[in-house]
Amino acid sequence: MVGVAVCSSVSSIKALWETRIRRRKEEQEEEEEQRKRRARGGATCRLSLSVWEDRATLARLKQKLQTEDGRLVLRIEQEEWKTLPGCLVQFSQVQEWQIHRTGLQKIPHFISSLQNLLVLDLSRNGVTEIPRQIGQLTRLRELLLSYNRVQFVPEELSGCESLERLELAMNRDLDHLPDQFRNLKKLQHLDLSMNDFTCLPDCVVALPVLEWLDMGGNRLQHLPEDIDRMEKLHTLWLQRNELEKLPDSISRMASLDTLVLSCNKLRDIPPLMEDMSNLRFVNFRDNPLTLDVTLPCRELKAKDDEDEDNREMFGREFMQMYIHESRKRAYAALNMHCVNR
Protein backbone atom coordinates (compact mmCIF):
# COMPACT_ATOMS: atom_id res chain seq x y z
CA MET A 1 0.00 0.00 0.00
CA VAL A 2 2.88 2.30 0.81
CA GLY A 3 4.35 1.69 -2.65
CA VAL A 4 1.02 2.52 -4.29
CA ALA A 5 0.77 5.77 -2.35
CA VAL A 6 4.27 6.79 -3.33
CA CYS A 7 3.63 6.07 -7.01
CA SER A 8 0.43 8.06 -6.90
CA SER A 9 2.23 11.00 -5.31
CA VAL A 10 5.03 10.92 -7.89
CA SER A 11 2.51 10.76 -10.74
CA SER A 12 0.66 13.78 -9.39
CA ILE A 13 3.84 15.85 -9.08
CA LYS A 14 4.92 14.85 -12.60
CA ALA A 15 1.51 15.79 -14.02
CA LEU A 16 1.68 19.14 -12.22
CA TRP A 17 5.08 20.00 -13.64
CA GLU A 18 4.11 18.90 -17.14
CA THR A 19 1.09 21.20 -16.92
CA ARG A 20 3.26 24.10 -15.77
CA ILE A 21 5.81 23.48 -18.54
CA ARG A 22 3.06 23.29 -21.15
CA ARG A 23 1.51 26.53 -19.94
CA ARG A 24 4.88 28.28 -19.85
CA LYS A 25 5.60 27.13 -23.36
CA GLU A 26 2.23 28.39 -24.55
CA GLU A 27 2.85 31.73 -22.84
CA GLN A 28 6.26 32.03 -24.52
CA GLU A 29 4.75 31.21 -27.92
CA GLU A 30 2.06 33.83 -27.37
CA GLU A 31 4.68 36.43 -26.36
CA GLU A 32 6.73 35.59 -29.45
CA GLU A 33 3.70 35.97 -31.69
CA GLN A 34 2.84 39.30 -30.12
CA ARG A 35 6.43 40.45 -30.55
CA LYS A 36 6.33 39.53 -34.24
CA ARG A 37 3.03 41.33 -34.70
CA ARG A 38 4.47 44.43 -33.05
CA ALA A 39 7.59 44.19 -35.25
CA ARG A 40 5.46 43.89 -38.38
CA GLY A 41 3.36 46.78 -37.23
CA GLY A 42 6.49 48.86 -36.47
CA ALA A 43 7.99 48.09 -39.86
CA THR A 44 4.75 49.09 -41.49
CA CYS A 45 4.78 52.31 -39.51
CA ARG A 46 8.39 53.00 -40.45
CA LEU A 47 7.64 52.21 -44.08
CA SER A 48 4.64 54.49 -43.99
CA LEU A 49 6.74 57.20 -42.34
CA SER A 50 9.45 56.82 -45.00
CA VAL A 51 6.86 57.08 -47.76
CA TRP A 52 5.44 60.23 -46.23
CA GLU A 53 8.93 61.71 -45.82
CA ASP A 54 9.70 61.02 -49.49
CA ARG A 55 6.43 62.59 -50.51
CA ALA A 56 7.16 65.66 -48.40
CA THR A 57 10.69 65.93 -49.84
CA LEU A 58 9.42 65.56 -53.40
CA ALA A 59 6.79 68.22 -52.79
CA ARG A 60 9.50 70.54 -51.49
CA LEU A 61 11.79 69.79 -54.42
CA LYS A 62 9.04 70.37 -56.95
CA GLN A 63 8.94 73.95 -55.74
CA LYS A 64 12.58 74.25 -56.84
CA LEU A 65 11.86 73.29 -60.44
CA GLN A 66 11.90 76.03 -63.07
CA THR A 67 11.76 76.16 -66.82
CA GLU A 68 14.48 78.25 -68.45
CA ASP A 69 15.04 78.50 -72.19
CA GLY A 70 12.87 75.44 -72.67
CA ARG A 71 14.97 73.43 -70.21
CA LEU A 72 13.72 71.98 -66.90
CA VAL A 73 16.04 73.22 -64.14
CA LEU A 74 16.38 72.18 -60.49
CA ARG A 75 17.71 75.19 -58.55
CA ILE A 76 18.69 75.04 -54.87
CA GLU A 77 20.74 77.87 -53.36
CA GLN A 78 21.89 78.79 -49.86
CA GLU A 79 20.04 75.97 -48.10
CA GLU A 80 21.28 73.01 -46.09
CA TRP A 81 21.56 70.01 -48.44
CA LYS A 82 24.69 68.10 -47.41
CA THR A 83 23.22 64.96 -49.00
CA LEU A 84 20.67 64.57 -51.76
CA PRO A 85 17.63 62.30 -51.25
CA GLY A 86 17.26 59.15 -53.35
CA CYS A 87 13.77 60.22 -54.37
CA LEU A 88 15.46 62.65 -56.79
CA VAL A 89 15.63 59.76 -59.26
CA GLN A 90 11.95 60.47 -59.89
CA PHE A 91 12.98 63.76 -61.53
CA SER A 92 14.38 61.92 -64.53
CA GLN A 93 13.24 64.64 -66.96
CA VAL A 94 15.29 67.39 -65.29
CA GLN A 95 18.01 68.60 -67.67
CA GLU A 96 19.96 70.94 -65.42
CA TRP A 97 20.95 71.01 -61.74
CA GLN A 98 22.02 74.27 -60.14
CA ILE A 99 22.89 73.54 -56.52
CA HIS A 100 25.03 76.30 -54.94
CA ARG A 101 26.20 77.08 -51.41
CA THR A 102 24.31 74.23 -49.76
CA GLY A 103 27.25 72.47 -48.09
CA LEU A 104 26.74 69.45 -50.37
CA GLN A 105 29.46 66.92 -49.57
CA LYS A 106 28.81 64.08 -51.99
CA ILE A 107 27.47 63.55 -55.49
CA PRO A 108 25.08 60.57 -55.15
CA HIS A 109 25.81 57.42 -57.15
CA PHE A 110 22.27 57.42 -58.52
CA ILE A 111 23.36 60.37 -60.67
CA SER A 112 24.08 57.79 -63.38
CA SER A 113 20.35 57.08 -63.77
CA LEU A 114 19.57 60.69 -64.73
CA GLN A 115 20.35 60.27 -68.41
CA ASN A 116 18.63 63.52 -69.43
CA LEU A 117 21.07 65.72 -67.51
CA LEU A 118 22.83 68.25 -69.74
CA VAL A 119 24.24 70.59 -67.08
CA LEU A 120 25.45 69.62 -63.59
CA ASP A 121 26.38 72.80 -61.71
CA LEU A 122 27.46 72.13 -58.12
CA SER A 123 29.78 75.12 -57.66
CA ARG A 124 30.59 76.47 -54.19
CA ASN A 125 29.83 73.42 -52.07
CA GLY A 126 31.94 70.91 -50.16
CA VAL A 127 32.10 68.06 -52.68
CA THR A 128 35.22 65.94 -52.12
CA GLU A 129 34.79 63.27 -54.79
CA ILE A 130 33.56 62.87 -58.34
CA PRO A 131 31.88 59.44 -58.43
CA ARG A 132 32.92 56.99 -61.13
CA GLN A 133 29.26 56.64 -62.10
CA ILE A 134 29.45 60.13 -63.63
CA GLY A 135 31.00 58.56 -66.73
CA GLN A 136 27.62 57.05 -67.60
CA LEU A 137 26.17 60.49 -68.34
CA THR A 138 26.97 60.41 -72.04
CA ARG A 139 24.72 63.40 -72.82
CA LEU A 140 26.23 65.70 -70.16
CA ARG A 141 27.56 68.93 -71.71
CA GLU A 142 28.64 70.96 -68.68
CA LEU A 143 30.13 69.88 -65.36
CA LEU A 144 30.82 72.78 -63.00
CA LEU A 145 32.56 71.93 -59.72
CA SER A 146 34.55 75.08 -58.94
CA TYR A 147 35.07 76.05 -55.30
CA ASN A 148 34.72 72.56 -53.85
CA ARG A 149 37.25 70.14 -52.31
CA VAL A 150 37.80 67.71 -55.17
CA GLN A 151 41.26 66.10 -55.02
CA PHE A 152 40.91 63.40 -57.66
CA VAL A 153 39.40 63.19 -61.15
CA PRO A 154 38.39 59.60 -62.04
CA GLU A 155 39.30 58.20 -65.44
CA GLU A 156 35.62 57.34 -65.92
CA LEU A 157 34.95 61.03 -66.52
CA SER A 158 36.23 60.45 -70.05
CA GLY A 159 33.00 58.53 -70.64
CA CYS A 160 31.13 61.86 -70.71
CA GLU A 161 31.65 61.98 -74.45
CA SER A 162 29.42 65.05 -74.97
CA LEU A 163 31.20 67.22 -72.37
CA GLU A 164 31.93 70.71 -73.73
CA ARG A 165 32.61 72.67 -70.54
CA LEU A 166 34.43 71.57 -67.37
CA GLU A 167 35.19 73.90 -64.47
CA LEU A 168 37.32 72.70 -61.53
CA ALA A 169 38.69 76.03 -60.30
CA MET A 170 39.67 76.50 -56.66
CA ASN A 171 39.77 72.90 -55.50
CA ARG A 172 43.27 73.68 -54.17
CA ASP A 173 44.78 70.18 -53.83
CA LEU A 174 43.95 69.04 -57.36
CA ASP A 175 47.24 68.44 -59.21
CA HIS A 176 46.65 65.58 -61.65
CA LEU A 177 44.35 64.50 -64.47
CA PRO A 178 44.04 60.92 -65.79
CA ASP A 179 45.52 60.27 -69.22
CA GLN A 180 42.07 59.14 -70.45
CA PHE A 181 41.07 62.80 -70.13
CA ARG A 182 42.34 63.29 -73.69
CA ASN A 183 39.32 61.31 -74.92
CA LEU A 184 36.99 64.24 -74.25
CA LYS A 185 36.84 65.03 -77.95
CA LYS A 186 34.22 67.79 -77.61
CA LEU A 187 35.68 69.69 -74.64
CA GLN A 188 36.03 73.39 -75.53
CA HIS A 189 36.20 75.20 -72.18
CA LEU A 190 38.43 74.06 -69.28
CA ASP A 191 39.02 75.94 -66.02
CA LEU A 192 41.73 74.49 -63.76
CA SER A 193 42.69 77.76 -62.06
CA MET A 194 43.70 78.05 -58.39
CA ASN A 195 44.74 74.45 -57.94
CA ASP A 196 48.14 72.80 -57.42
CA PHE A 197 49.33 71.84 -60.92
CA THR A 198 53.09 72.17 -61.52
CA CYS A 199 52.89 71.47 -65.27
CA LEU A 200 50.36 71.61 -68.07
CA PRO A 201 49.14 67.99 -68.35
CA ASP A 202 49.81 66.36 -71.73
CA CYS A 203 46.24 65.07 -71.82
CA VAL A 204 45.09 68.72 -71.84
CA VAL A 205 47.48 69.66 -74.65
CA ALA A 206 46.05 66.72 -76.63
CA LEU A 207 42.42 67.88 -76.42
CA PRO A 208 41.50 68.36 -80.09
CA VAL A 209 38.94 71.19 -79.92
CA LEU A 210 39.90 73.03 -76.71
CA GLU A 211 39.40 76.77 -77.20
CA TRP A 212 39.54 78.28 -73.69
CA LEU A 213 41.94 77.29 -70.90
CA ASP A 214 42.53 78.89 -67.50
CA MET A 215 45.55 77.62 -65.53
CA GLY A 216 46.02 80.77 -63.46
CA GLY A 217 46.94 80.53 -59.79
CA ASN A 218 48.73 77.18 -59.99
CA ARG A 219 52.47 76.42 -59.68
CA LEU A 220 53.37 76.00 -63.34
CA GLN A 221 57.13 76.19 -63.84
CA HIS A 222 57.25 75.64 -67.59
CA LEU A 223 55.07 75.14 -70.64
CA PRO A 224 55.40 72.14 -72.99
CA GLU A 225 57.62 72.65 -76.03
CA ASP A 226 54.83 71.33 -78.24
CA ILE A 227 52.17 73.67 -76.89
CA ASP A 228 51.39 74.63 -80.50
CA ARG A 229 49.51 71.29 -80.74
CA MET A 230 46.62 73.22 -79.24
CA GLU A 231 45.52 74.44 -82.64
CA LYS A 232 42.04 75.64 -81.63
CA LEU A 233 43.03 77.46 -78.43
CA HIS A 234 42.16 81.16 -78.56
CA THR A 235 42.28 82.08 -74.84
CA LEU A 236 45.04 81.10 -72.40
CA TRP A 237 45.17 82.42 -68.83
CA LEU A 238 48.48 81.76 -67.04
CA GLN A 239 48.56 84.53 -64.44
CA ARG A 240 50.07 83.95 -60.96
CA ASN A 241 52.30 80.98 -61.78
CA GLU A 242 56.07 80.42 -61.65
CA LEU A 243 56.94 80.55 -65.36
CA GLU A 244 60.49 81.73 -66.06
CA LYS A 245 60.44 81.42 -69.85
CA LEU A 246 58.12 80.76 -72.78
CA PRO A 247 58.78 78.17 -75.49
CA ASP A 248 59.32 79.54 -79.01
CA SER A 249 56.53 77.24 -80.18
CA ILE A 250 54.00 79.56 -78.57
CA SER A 251 54.47 81.82 -81.61
CA ARG A 252 52.96 79.07 -83.78
CA MET A 253 49.62 79.08 -81.96
CA ALA A 254 47.68 80.52 -84.88
CA SER A 255 44.32 80.80 -83.09
CA LEU A 256 45.61 82.40 -79.88
CA ASP A 257 44.26 85.92 -79.42
CA THR A 258 44.26 86.27 -75.61
CA LEU A 259 47.34 85.48 -73.50
CA VAL A 260 47.60 86.56 -69.86
CA LEU A 261 51.02 86.12 -68.21
CA SER A 262 50.92 88.62 -65.36
CA CYS A 263 52.61 87.79 -62.02
CA ASN A 264 55.09 85.15 -63.22
CA LYS A 265 58.91 85.04 -63.23
CA LEU A 266 59.52 85.78 -66.91
CA ARG A 267 62.87 87.31 -67.78
CA ASP A 268 62.30 87.79 -71.50
CA ILE A 269 59.72 87.74 -74.29
CA PRO A 270 60.47 85.37 -77.20
CA PRO A 271 61.33 87.46 -80.31
CA LEU A 272 59.23 85.13 -82.48
CA MET A 273 56.10 86.43 -80.74
CA GLU A 274 56.48 89.63 -82.74
CA ASP A 275 54.87 87.88 -85.71
CA MET A 276 51.73 86.83 -83.78
CA SER A 277 49.40 89.14 -85.67
CA ASN A 278 46.41 87.26 -84.27
CA LEU A 279 47.33 88.20 -80.68
CA ARG A 280 44.88 90.87 -79.55
CA PHE A 281 45.16 90.81 -75.76
CA VAL A 282 48.47 90.08 -74.01
CA ASN A 283 49.58 91.03 -70.51
CA PHE A 284 53.13 90.79 -69.12
CA ARG A 285 52.46 92.93 -66.04
CA ASP A 286 54.45 92.19 -62.84
CA ASN A 287 57.20 90.04 -64.34
CA PRO A 288 60.93 90.64 -63.66
CA LEU A 289 61.71 91.29 -67.35
CA THR A 290 65.37 91.99 -68.10
CA LEU A 291 64.74 95.21 -70.04
CA ASP A 292 63.02 98.25 -68.61
CA VAL A 293 60.77 99.38 -71.44
CA THR A 294 58.32 102.25 -71.17
CA LEU A 295 55.79 103.14 -73.82
CA PRO A 296 56.14 106.68 -75.16
CA CYS A 297 53.52 109.16 -74.04
CA ARG A 298 50.86 110.29 -76.47
CA GLU A 299 49.10 113.58 -76.91
CA LEU A 300 45.57 112.52 -76.07
CA LYS A 301 42.28 114.25 -75.84
CA ALA A 302 39.79 113.29 -73.14
CA LYS A 303 37.83 111.09 -75.53
CA ASP A 304 40.95 109.01 -76.18
CA ASP A 305 41.47 108.05 -72.54
CA GLU A 306 39.91 104.66 -73.22
CA ASP A 307 42.41 104.02 -76.00
CA GLU A 308 45.24 104.78 -73.59
CA ASP A 309 43.80 102.34 -71.05
CA ASN A 310 43.58 99.66 -73.74
CA ARG A 311 47.14 100.41 -74.76
CA GLU A 312 48.33 99.61 -71.25
CA MET A 313 45.93 96.75 -70.59
CA PHE A 314 46.24 94.85 -73.83
CA GLY A 315 50.02 95.10 -73.87
CA ARG A 316 50.54 94.22 -77.53
CA GLU A 317 52.36 97.47 -78.22
CA PHE A 318 54.52 96.90 -75.15
CA MET A 319 55.41 93.38 -76.36
CA GLN A 320 56.47 94.61 -79.78
CA MET A 321 58.49 97.47 -78.32
CA TYR A 322 60.21 95.11 -75.86
CA ILE A 323 61.18 92.68 -78.64
CA HIS A 324 62.40 95.57 -80.81
CA GLU A 325 64.52 96.94 -77.95
CA SER A 326 65.85 93.48 -77.13
CA ARG A 327 66.85 92.88 -80.75
CA LYS A 328 68.47 96.33 -81.01
CA ARG A 329 70.58 95.70 -77.92
CA ALA A 330 71.57 92.25 -79.17
CA TYR A 331 72.77 93.78 -82.47
CA ALA A 332 74.66 96.48 -80.57
CA ALA A 333 76.41 93.89 -78.41
CA LEU A 334 77.28 91.84 -81.49
CA ASN A 335 78.73 94.88 -83.27
CA MET A 336 80.73 95.81 -80.20
CA HIS A 337 82.13 92.28 -80.06
CA CYS A 338 83.12 92.44 -83.74
CA VAL A 339 84.84 95.83 -83.25
CA ASN A 340 86.78 94.55 -80.26
CA ARG A 341 88.03 91.60 -82.29
Side-chain angles (χ1 to χ4, degrees):
M1 293 296 293
V2 173
V4 173
V6 171
C7 288
S8 177
S9 176
V10 171
S11 297
S12 299
I13 294 173
K14 182 179 178 182
L16 177 63
W17 275 105
E18 286 178 346
T19 301
R20 289 179 177 179
I21 292 172
R22 185 173 66 254
R23 287 179 179 175
R24 180 58 183 162
K25 185 176 180 181
E26 290 173 352
E27 289 173 357
Q28 289 177 343
E29 290 176 350
E30 178 65 21
E31 289 175 359
E32 179 67 17
E33 183 62 27
Q34 290 180 0
R35 187 186 65 79
K36 289 180 179 180
R37 283 198 297 268
R38 286 196 299 269
R40 286 196 296 269
T44 302
C45 290
R46 287 194 298 273
L47 181 60
S48 299
L49 181 61
S50 176
V51 169
W52 280 108
E53 287 178 346
D54 284 350
R55 288 178 180 176
T57 301
L58 282 172
R60 182 182 174 192
L61 286 170
K62 284 180 180 178
Q63 298 176 2
K64 309 294 183 182
L65 293 177
Q66 303 177 17
T67 301
E68 298 181 2
D69 300 326
R71 181 183 294 177
L72 191 60
V73 179
L74 173 65
R75 177 177 284 113
I76 305 174
E77 294 184 348
Q78 297 182 340
E79 297 184 22
E80 193 70 19
W81 286 87
K82 291 185 178 180
T83 60
L84 296 175
C87 59
L88 264 176
V89 297
Q90 297 186 41
F91 288 172
S92 59
Q93 297 307 310
V94 174
Q95 296 169 296
E96 180 171 343
W97 282 14
Q98 292 185 11
I99 303 178
H100 305 154
R101 294 184 175 91
T102 68
L104 184 67
Q105 297 177 353
K106 186 176 181 180
I107 302 175
H109 291 177
F110 66 72
I111 194 76
S112 61
S113 65
L114 303 175
Q115 290 296 313
N116 287 313
L117 267 182
L118 302 178
V119 177
L120 184 56
D121 184 355
L122 303 177
S123 304
R124 299 185 182 277
N125 285 291
V127 176
T128 59
E129 180 184 359
I130 301 175
R132 301 182 186 278
Q133 291 80 359
I134 198 108
Q136 298 177 37
L137 298 179
T138 57
R139 297 182 61 193
L140 190 67
R141 297 178 188 170
E142 298 184 18
L143 176 59
L144 313 179
L145 283 167
S146 293
Y147 293 87
N148 277 278
R149 300 174 186 173
V150 176
Q151 299 181 17
F152 173 75
V153 176
E155 62 184 51
E156 285 80 3
L157 181 63
S158 62
C160 298
E161 57 189 33
S162 299
L163 201 62
E164 299 174 0
R165 185 185 187 100
L166 175 61
E167 295 188 357
L168 292 167
M170 196 60 178
N171 280 278
R172 297 184 180 177
D173 294 329
L174 187 63
D175 61 0
H176 176 74
L177 294 176
D179 191 60
Q180 292 84 351
F181 195 84
R182 68 180 65 232
N183 295 326
L184 296 174
K185 304 298 185 182
K186 296 183 179 181
L187 192 63
Q188 301 175 14
H189 179 113
L190 177 60
D191 190 347
L192 295 172
S193 60
M194 295 180 285
N195 286 299
D196 205 33
F197 288 90
T198 57
C199 64
L200 184 57
D202 186 68
C203 59
V204 172
V205 179
L207 292 171
V209 298
L210 191 65
E211 298 179 354
W212 194 100
L213 174 63
D214 191 345
M215 293 289 293
N218 279 274
R219 295 189 295 119
L220 300 184
Q221 299 176 5
H222 60 85
L223 296 178
E225 293 296 330
D226 59 350
I227 194 171
D228 55 313
R229 288 162 54 197
M230 307 176 79
E231 297 179 354
K232 302 290 185 179
L233 197 69
H234 61 66
T235 299
L236 179 57
W237 294 78
L238 295 168
Q239 72 282 6
R240 297 191 307 278
N241 276 285
E242 300 174 12
L243 298 172
E244 296 184 3
K245 61 175 294 187
L246 299 176
D248 287 341
S249 57
I250 200 169
S251 64
R252 297 193 292 271
M253 299 181 72
S255 299
L256 193 64
D257 66 16
T258 299
L259 176 61
V260 181
L261 290 158
S262 54
C263 299
N264 275 277
K265 299 179 180 181
L266 295 174
R267 304 289 299 173
D268 282 300
I269 300 174
L272 290 174
M273 290 184 68
E274 185 179 31
D275 298 327
M276 296 181 70
S277 57
N278 53 295
L279 200 57
R280 181 183 60 86
F281 181 108
V282 60
N283 193 329
F284 290 96
R285 190 191 296 270
D286 297 324
N287 278 278
L289 294 170
T290 303
L291 303 181
D292 185 11
V293 174
T294 303
L295 293 175
C297 295
R298 289 180 178 176
E299 293 293 333
L300 293 175
K301 299 179 182 180
K303 65 179 182 179
D304 293 327
D305 288 347
E306 185 178 349
D307 292 337
E308 181 66 16
D309 290 341
N310 289 344
R311 190 177 180 221
E312 168 64 22
M313 181 179 179
F314 283 66
R316 178 173 169 78
E317 186 177 351
F318 170 83
M319 181 187 74
Q320 292 176 330
M321 185 173 180
Y322 185 97
I323 293 172
H324 176 73
E325 183 66 21
S326 177
R327 187 178 288 117
K328 184 171 69 173
R329 294 193 185 190
Y331 286 151
L334 180 60
N335 290 336
M336 182 63 70
H337 177 71
C338 291
V339 168
N340 290 336
R341 290 185 61 185

